[in-house]
């Protein structure tokens, strides 16, 4: 990345200044993010009761959309399940609606089986054009025995965490796919599960060097044969461009050996990968760096709700920035 290339002389380079060109619209959208009407939609209220099941077994009282709305409300305002139950009860009373509110035990139980629908997750329809996919992963802490021993007895142990893999639409900034795994899962192994959640063709696939290898290229090519794959090869990668026809990876290696890595980044548009890092930072700033749920299934639900929250916030407001000037050195 350019900031690593210029690290030794960073203090001599003026910072780029950006100006938000749609500030009135963006400011109104930021205020709208705090509105309860954004998170409690009329559709959720009309479908609050669960549909009658036609098979044997107990009848659920609340629909999946009601559970989603309640969990999303708690995540947005940073509340635990009991406080979320109290907030939603007061809101429905102020609205004059005679609707029962899921209690905290129901929310905890349903969170282990709830899944976000494909249509809600990405917000993109199959009829739209090819997409530029950015992929990266990050770690999320979980509260386990190691943390309890450290707080109770001062004993230090290795912290446990989960790994969140995200696929981002470079054009809209939306999270269009996500997978949560344990801490020992490799990044490249989750490329295919992420791409399975994307139903539209891929125009370009961009990822960092951790995804370099044939499994990633094979997974992307299997999904979209014409997709351009932009992954920086390893430093010791061997140039095999003399083999006909040369693969995309071989062409990247030859271009880097000829023009340098900085030029290759500018030509291929690799710098856009920073957008997925920004999305990861946004996720941790809004939803937190630690998972609240204890079971793995409930943690998957928490991550899915967190991604849906970010997409809905992005739909409310997204800044349009333009470079204004560079500070004098």
């Amino acid at each position: 990345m350019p900031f690593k290339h210029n690290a030794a002389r960073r203090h001599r380079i003026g910072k780029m200044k950006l100006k938000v060109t749609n500030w009135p619209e963006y400011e109104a959208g930021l205020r709208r993010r705090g509105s309860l009407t954004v998170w409690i939609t009329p559709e959720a209220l009309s479908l609050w009761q669960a549909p009658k099941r036609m098979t044997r077994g107990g009848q659920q009282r609340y629909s999946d959309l009601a559970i989603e709305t309640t969990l999303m409300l708690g995540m947005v305002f940073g509340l635990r399940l009991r406080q979320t139950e109290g907030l939603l009860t007061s809101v429905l009373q102020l609205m004059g609606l005679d609707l029962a509110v899921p209690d905290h035990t129901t929310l905890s139980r349903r969170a282990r089986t709830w899944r976000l629908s494909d249509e809600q997750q990405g917000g993109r329809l199959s009829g739209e054009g090819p997409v530029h996919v950015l992929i990266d992963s990050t770690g999320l802490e979980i509260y386990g025995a190691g943390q309890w021993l450290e707080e109770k007895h001062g004993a230090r142990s290795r912290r446990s965490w989960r790994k969140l893999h995200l696929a981002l639409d470079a054009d809209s900034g939306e999270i269009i796919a996500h997978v949560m795994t344990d801490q020992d899962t490799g990044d490249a192994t989750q490329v295919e599960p992420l791409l399975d959640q994307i139903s539209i063709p891929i125009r370009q696939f961009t990822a960092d060097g951790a995804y370099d290898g044939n499994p990633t290229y094979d997974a992307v090519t299997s999904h979209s044969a014409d997709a351009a794959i932009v992954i920086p090869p390893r430093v010791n990668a061997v140039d095999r461009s003399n083999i006909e026809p040369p693969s995309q990876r071989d062409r990247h290696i030859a271009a880097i050996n000829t023009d340098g890595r900085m030029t290759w980044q500018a030509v291929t548009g690799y710098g856009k990968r920073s957008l997925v890092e920004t999305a990861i930072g946004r996720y941790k700033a809004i939803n937190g760096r630690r998972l609240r749920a204890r079971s793995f299934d409930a943690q998957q639900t928490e991550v899915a709700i967190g991604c849906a929250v970010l997409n809905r916030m992005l739909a409310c407001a997204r800044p349009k920035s333009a470079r204004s000037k560079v500070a004098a050195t």
Side-chain angles (χ1 to χ4, degrees):
M1 294 298 290
F3 70 90
K4 294 181 181 178
H5 183 78
N6 297 318
R9 53 182 182 274
R10 172 56 58 189
H11 61 286
R12 300 179 181 177
I13 301 176
K15 291 185 178 180
M16 181 186 301
K17 291 189 176 181
L18 300 175
K19 181 179 180 181
V20 178
T21 59
N22 63 334
W23 177 248
E25 176 186 350
Y26 181 53
E27 185 180 29
L30 292 177
R31 290 195 299 266
R32 189 166 177 262
R33 289 180 181 181
S35 173
L36 290 174
T37 58
V38 172
W39 310 107
I40 306 177
T41 61
E43 179 187 6
L45 297 177
S46 62
L47 301 176
W48 196 261
Q49 300 294 334
K52 285 189 176 182
R53 60 182 303 172
M54 307 304 295
T55 58
R56 299 176 60 182
Q59 171 64 38
Q60 290 183 343
R61 189 175 185 182
Y62 308 100
S63 65
D64 289 342
L65 189 55
I67 299 298
E68 174 192 343
T69 299
T70 308
L71 293 175
M72 188 177 292
L73 190 67
M75 179 164 288
V76 169
F77 294 99
L79 303 175
R80 302 296 182 179
L81 295 182
R82 288 178 174 85
Q83 287 74 37
T84 303
E85 178 186 350
L87 173 63
L88 186 56
T89 301
S90 62
V91 170
L92 294 180
Q93 288 177 352
L94 292 174
M95 296 175 65
L97 297 176
D98 186 17
L99 294 176
V101 176
D103 58 83
H104 58 277
T105 56
T106 300
L107 292 173
S108 179
R109 182 179 67 255
R110 293 283 296 274
R112 294 193 292 268
T113 59
W114 178 90
R115 291 293 178 269
L116 195 66
S117 65
D118 296 337
E119 182 179 354
Q120 291 172 309
Q121 178 170 290
R124 296 183 63 93
L125 301 178
S126 58
E128 299 187 12
V131 63
H132 182 181
V133 176
L134 310 173
I135 285 185
D136 204 354
S137 65
T138 187
L140 298 175
E141 295 181 7
I142 58 176
Y143 191 92
Q147 285 77 9
W148 181 85
L149 288 174
E150 184 174 350
E151 292 182 2
K152 186 71 174 179
H153 304 290
R156 291 187 174 273
S157 62
R158 182 180 178 183
R159 288 179 177 264
S160 299
W161 47 282
R162 303 294 187 199
K163 186 179 288 188
L164 173 61
H165 309 261
L166 294 180
L168 195 78
D169 179 1
D171 299 325
S172 66
E174 289 187 353
I175 298 174
I176 56 178
H178 72 274
V179 175
M180 191 187 72
T181 62
D182 56 34
Q183 59 190 17
D184 299 321
T185 303
D187 292 346
T189 62
Q190 298 306 306
V191 172
E192 186 173 355
L194 286 171
L195 298 184
D196 288 341
Q197 302 177 32
I198 303 174
S199 59
I200 58 179
I202 296 176
R203 181 178 74 254
Q204 179 172 323
F205 176 93
T206 305
D208 60 19
Y211 297 87
D212 181 36
N214 290 331
T216 301
Y217 281 85
D218 294 341
V220 178
T221 304
S222 177
H223 183 281
S224 300
D226 298 331
I229 304 175
V230 179
I231 302 176
R234 297 178 178 88
V235 178
N236 58 352
V238 179
D239 183 4
R240 300 183 303 173
S241 58
N242 56 342
I243 300 178
E244 294 295 338
S247 64
Q248 292 195 55
R249 185 173 185 270
D250 294 333
R251 291 197 294 269
H252 290 323
I253 297 173
I256 291 175
N257 292 340
T258 303
D259 302 323
R261 192 167 291 265
M262 292 294 294
T263 302
W264 173 84
Q265 291 180 3
V267 171
T268 59
Y270 178 73
K272 278 195 171 184
R273 197 190 64 83
S274 62
L275 296 176
V276 68
E277 294 181 345
T278 302
I280 289 175
R282 190 185 302 117
Y283 181 97
K284 293 186 175 182
I286 295 175
N287 301 324
R289 298 176 176 270
R290 172 180 292 181
L291 295 170
R292 302 174 183 176
R294 302 300 176 90
S295 67
F296 185 77
D297 291 336
Q299 289 169 357
Q300 287 183 318
T301 298
E302 182 178 341
V303 166
I305 293 291
C307 294
V309 165
L310 292 185
N311 286 342
R312 191 170 296 187
M313 285 187 171
L314 195 63
C316 291
R318 185 183 182 189
K320 297 180 181 178
S321 302
R323 184 175 180 178
S324 55
K325 63 179 180 178
V326 179
T329 57

